Amino acid sequence: MPSSSRPAGRYTGFSAAAFAALVLLTAPAAFAQGTAAPAKPATPESSAACPALLQHTFPRLQDEKPQSLCQYAGRVLLVVNTASYCGFTSQYKGLETLNAKYKDRGLVVLGFPSNDFAQETGSNTQIADFCENTFGVKFPMFAKTSVTGEQAAPLFKQLAALSGQKPRWNFYKYLIGRDGQVAGSYSSMTSPEDRALVRDIEKQLSLKQYR
């Protein structure tokens, strides 16, 4: 009696076609279930919620386009009220050097020109040209801002309340940590090269985790 079994390793045309169709139908589904799109790397802006102290918007000095300070969340910030006709105006050079030296580690110097002490009478365009042409300033600068008294911008009112010190003159400085909290305040006499200031900046930069 002839055997009804097929030779091992052989398939009929129908079964081979069916098998191929099954592979084509199931493989994409299996791949989709087993493979996830790579996650985008976290950035300081996306991984750190914007703290209350940075929830302010200022016009950019050069073109007066609105700039949210939330873009600096997770960074170490040195906020400075500046002026073009002051005995401390030369600090622009040191501030730019400080910003350039530590920016890759997370420091951003933020400059806020102010005429509160009657030493910043020019227009925003004139101030921008002066800062760039005289001192090569590249760090972010904002339009003329009131920094003291009843007319002070809300940011500076907060800084004064949190630090216990309001700007008494041009080039007063506030250090803000990665967590959005005031880490220090410094008088106009404190130069950008001051050892204590630099030490405090480096301490804040060493806190790698965005809290």
Side-chain angles (χ1 to χ4, degrees):
M1 177 182 296
S3 172
S4 59
S5 62
R6 299 185 181 90
R10 295 182 61 188
Y11 299 90
T12 64
F14 173 80
S15 61
F19 178 77
L22 181 63
V23 169
L24 290 174
L25 288 172
T26 60
F31 180 79
Q33 292 175 0
T35 305
K40 294 182 179 180
T43 62
E45 292 78 8
S46 64
S47 61
C50 184
L53 190 56
L54 300 185
Q55 292 178 12
H56 302 285
T57 298
F58 289 88
R60 185 163 53 196
L61 179 63
Q62 291 82 354
D63 54 18
E64 300 189 4
K65 290 184 177 180
Q67 300 294 306
S68 172
L69 299 188
C70 284
Q71 67 184 291
Y72 304 114
R75 306 292 184 91
V76 175
L77 306 177
L78 187 66
V79 175
V80 188
N81 61 297
T82 66
S84 300
Y85 303 102
C86 175
F88 297 107
T89 300
S90 60
Q91 287 190 14
Y92 267 129
K93 182 178 180 180
L95 291 170
E96 176 56 34
T97 299
L98 198 63
N99 186 77
K101 180 178 180 179
Y102 291 106
K103 66 180 181 180
D104 290 341
R105 293 177 57 186
L107 175 69
V108 184
V109 175
L110 301 179
F112 292 84
S114 177
N115 194 41
D116 284 5
F117 305 104
Q119 294 186 324
E120 188 64 282
T121 58
S123 67
N124 289 325
T125 299
Q126 290 171 328
I127 296 168
D129 290 343
F130 172 80
C131 290
E132 182 176 358
N133 296 334
T134 307
F135 297 102
V137 170
K138 303 297 182 185
F139 58 80
M141 296 278 294
F142 301 94
K144 273 207 296 191
T145 303
S146 184
V147 300
T148 190
E150 291 299 322
Q151 300 302 315
L155 168 64
F156 281 88
K157 287 184 177 181
Q158 284 180 274
L159 289 170
L162 292 169
S163 68
Q165 295 288 338
K166 64 181 181 181
R168 297 180 179 179
W169 198 245
N170 305 306
F171 290 88
Y172 202 84
K173 305 165 187 70
Y174 296 96
L175 182 63
I176 301 174
R178 295 185 189 275
D179 57 0
Q181 300 298 313
V182 175
S185 59
Y186 310 85
S187 76
S188 308
M189 298 292 293
T190 303
S191 73
E193 299 84 11
D194 181 83
R195 291 183 179 181
L197 172 61
V198 173
R199 182 176 63 248
D200 290 348
I201 290 173
E202 290 182 340
K203 179 181 178 180
Q204 293 301 315
L205 290 172
S206 69
L207 303 176
K208 298 296 185 181
Q209 298 298 320
Y210 304 117
R211 293 174 283 175

